[in-house]
Amino acid sequence: MLTPMHTTQRASSRRLSPLLIALALLLMAGCRNMQQQPKLAAPYDESVLFGRAAREILPEAVPVGFLRDDELLHTGMQNGELATEFPFPITREILETGRSQYNAFCAPCHGYAGYGNGVIVVEGFPMARSFHTEEMRSAPVGRFYRAIAYGVGVMYDYAARVPVDKRWAIVAYIRALQHSQNAAYAELPAEIQAQLAQTGTQTTEAMGS
Amino acid sequence: MKQAFGAGANTFAKLSLLGGGLFTVLILGLLFVLDHSPYTRGPIGVAVNQPVRFSHQLHSGVLNIDCRYCHISAEQGAYGGIPDTHTCMSCHSQIATYSELLEPVRTSYATGEYLVWNKVHNIAQHVYFNHSAHVNAGFACETCHGRVDQMPLVWQHQSMTMSWCLECHREPERFIRTYDQVYTFGEPAPENQIDVGLQLVAAQGIDVSRLSNCSICHR
């Protein structure tokens, strides 16, 4: 009685193994299906309902975070005049953000130090405005903000690329740049003064000899 | 009565066991190779042709324009992002305005028709990769995309397999950088990268034990 049962078991396992292999293959096929899903993964993918995956914003629709209800923050104006103050207090952290954003978006034309001689100007773009003129030093902050948000002259607007808070961070950094290029000797920290005095002496000595 | 099987049948049966085993290994091996091959993964190091022959070598390498100038959504969102033609025209309204190569860009800007670029990196669709989470934590463009500043037309630099992702997800300290090094190319890693890396990982509050959870990338 034992032997037939034994045989049946072996026979069934032999019949099972191709099934198992087929199942394993099916499972692996399943993996591939997960890698290619019936969804719109890329922004330009065509959609039957909406034209394409990344939909156009409908006219007059206001995306979350884009409600322009604060005149100073969003338009850089105060009571119809160019704003003379920042909409929020400027901290060291904001200045660092401003530097990073300025170097990415402004430096190609305005240059890293803000003299209007960035690499794109060297390539043939009309000379960008230098921030180190009396006019620009006394210009209200709203003027800088509005240039970023709406563009000015041949400068296109950067509204799509630089969000509101980062625009103000850039303006703050431009103020810092202006200060850095036009600082009075008496305003400098003592150690920098000492450093300058030393370099000055060295230079004089070098020139003298 | 004549035997159904000859004398060699036993040897043949034993050999077929071995052969069957080898055959299975071969098939599984082939499947593995196919799964990791450029046929399914996208070719590495092969430049992808584009509707406009935009050169990263010129714009990023020679002119040193920051990656974010065009690919801003890498910093702000999940998708790396292809710039709209408004971005191109913010310089090319004045520069190389005669260029025939730029005709599709000008047409797109004038008509509002999308300029559809060819995708270079096709990540598996059950992977949810978030660019901003990576760059803002200190993982450089260069680490995954290679020396884009030396690519006339962009090609895929890394395999984009899961084992490749896990190299970094298990030991992020090997690749993490300070924030000011994220958008730069070719800066040598500090000699004490692991020490610096561990500090940066801690400073960013990255919980490495969670980074190899399935649901970190798969949903």
Side-chain angles (χ1 to χ4, degrees):
Chain A
M1 284 303 280
L2 274 172
T3 322
M5 222 174 102
H6 193 58
T7 325
T8 328
Q9 255 179 4
R10 277 178 64 180
S12 70
S13 78
R14 221 177 283 143
R15 235 178 293 132
L16 253 165
S17 55
L19 266 177
L20 279 175
I21 290 173
L23 194 68
L25 284 175
L26 267 176
L27 281 173
M28 290 175 110
C31 298
R32 184 60 55 206
N33 284 342
M34 279 176 72
Q35 291 185 8
Q36 301 292 335
Q37 298 175 0
K39 69 177 181 184
L40 306 173
Y44 292 125
D45 281 354
E46 276 186 35
S47 153
V48 182
L49 284 178
F50 307 114
R52 55 168 196 153
R55 275 185 272 168
E56 288 269 13
I57 295 166
L58 297 172
E60 294 181 30
V62 180
V64 173
F66 281 77
L67 181 62
R68 295 169 160 231
D69 57 349
D70 186 331
E71 191 194 14
L72 173 59
L73 181 67
H74 293 107
T75 68
M77 305 289 276
Q78 276 171 315
N79 309 317
E81 300 275 315
L82 287 170
T84 52
E85 59 181 69
F86 288 93
F88 45 78
I90 302 302
T91 61
R92 171 93 201 186
E93 200 184 340
I94 290 175
L95 276 177
E96 293 288 351
T97 307
R99 164 154 63 188
S100 176
Q101 296 286 309
Y102 177 92
N103 289 345
F105 294 103
C106 315
C109 291
H110 289 281
Y112 289 100
Y115 283 97
N117 56 353
V119 66
I120 301 303
V121 172
V122 177
E123 287 291 311
F125 202 87
M127 181 80 177
R129 195 175 277 275
S130 165
F131 298 124
H132 308 301
T133 59
E134 198 44 53
E135 183 194 351
M136 295 313 282
R137 276 196 288 268
S138 56
V141 287
R143 181 165 165 190
F144 298 95
Y145 176 87
R146 290 185 69 82
I148 302 171
Y150 303 100
V152 57
V154 292
M155 172 179 162
Y156 277 28
D157 73 82
Y158 284 74
R161 278 178 276 169
V162 187
V164 173
D165 53 339
K166 287 180 177 167
R167 291 174 210 163
W168 284 108
I170 289 175
V171 177
Y173 180 68
I174 291 173
R175 278 283 186 251
L177 271 184
Q178 288 178 329
H179 197 60
S180 78
Q181 302 297 306
N182 192 39
Y185 183 75
E187 286 176 35
L188 296 174
E191 49 185 301
I192 306 282
Q193 280 183 355
Q195 221 177 343
L196 272 178
Q198 214 177 1
T199 344
T201 331
Q202 277 169 0
T203 318
T204 328
E205 277 169 7
M207 282 170 78
S209 65
Chain B
M1 189 180 155
K2 192 177 179 293
Q3 295 289 323
F5 297 103
N10 277 344
T11 320
F12 184 76
K14 282 172 190 161
L15 274 178
S16 73
L17 276 177
L18 185 70
L22 281 176
F23 183 72
T24 314
V25 169
L26 183 75
I27 292 291
L28 289 176
L30 273 177
L31 280 172
F32 181 82
V33 169
L34 180 71
D35 193 52
H36 286 68
S37 73
Y39 177 74
T40 44
R41 293 286 174 178
I44 296 167
V46 178
V48 177
N49 207 5
Q50 299 291 357
V52 178
R53 290 221 314 278
F54 177 86
S55 167
H56 279 82
Q57 190 180 33
L58 171 64
H59 291 82
S60 173
V62 179
L63 301 179
N64 198 24
I65 297 174
D66 196 283
C67 307
R68 289 170 292 173
Y69 190 88
C70 307
H71 300 288
I72 185 57
S73 56
E75 186 184 59
Q76 295 170 0
Y79 190 68
I82 302 296
D84 55 359
T85 38
H86 178 275
T87 301
C88 311
M89 292 301 283
S90 55
C91 292
H92 285 291
S93 60
Q94 302 290 328
I95 292 181
T97 48
Y98 52 83
S99 172
E100 260 179 55
L101 289 173
L102 286 165
E103 189 52 43
V105 173
R106 288 191 294 266
T107 310
S108 162
Y109 187 63
T111 61
E113 279 297 312
Y114 307 115
L115 185 57
V116 180
W117 300 80
N118 295 322
K119 218 163 181 295
V120 177
H121 298 85
N122 284 300
I123 207 159
Q125 291 186 353
H126 57 304
V127 181
Y128 292 80
F129 181 84
N130 188 314
H131 273 86
S132 68
H134 287 82
V135 295
N136 291 327
F139 295 95
C141 310
E142 181 184 23
T143 307
C144 304
H145 292 291
R147 294 297 300 268
V148 177
D149 63 324
Q150 296 175 351
M151 297 180 188
L153 281 170
V154 170
W155 55 80
Q156 184 174 324
H157 173 66
Q158 295 282 13
S159 67
M160 309 266 155
T161 55
M162 190 169 108
S163 54
W164 170 77
C165 296
L166 281 171
E167 269 180 42
C168 186
H169 269 226
R170 288 184 176 136
E171 297 171 310
E173 66 273 12
R174 285 170 56 200
F175 303 97
I176 196 168
R177 298 183 181 187
T178 51
Y179 184 71
D180 58 344
Q181 299 282 306
V182 167
Y183 301 100
T184 58
F185 290 98
E187 297 282 338
E191 277 177 24
N192 54 345
Q193 168 68 35
I194 301 297
D195 298 334
V196 175
L198 284 171
Q199 281 171 17
L200 286 171
V201 167
Q204 287 288 342
I206 299 171
D207 182 358
V208 181
S209 68
R210 286 179 63 236
L211 282 189
S212 45
N213 284 1
C214 307
S215 59
I216 283 281
C217 312
H218 301 292
R219 276 167 243 159

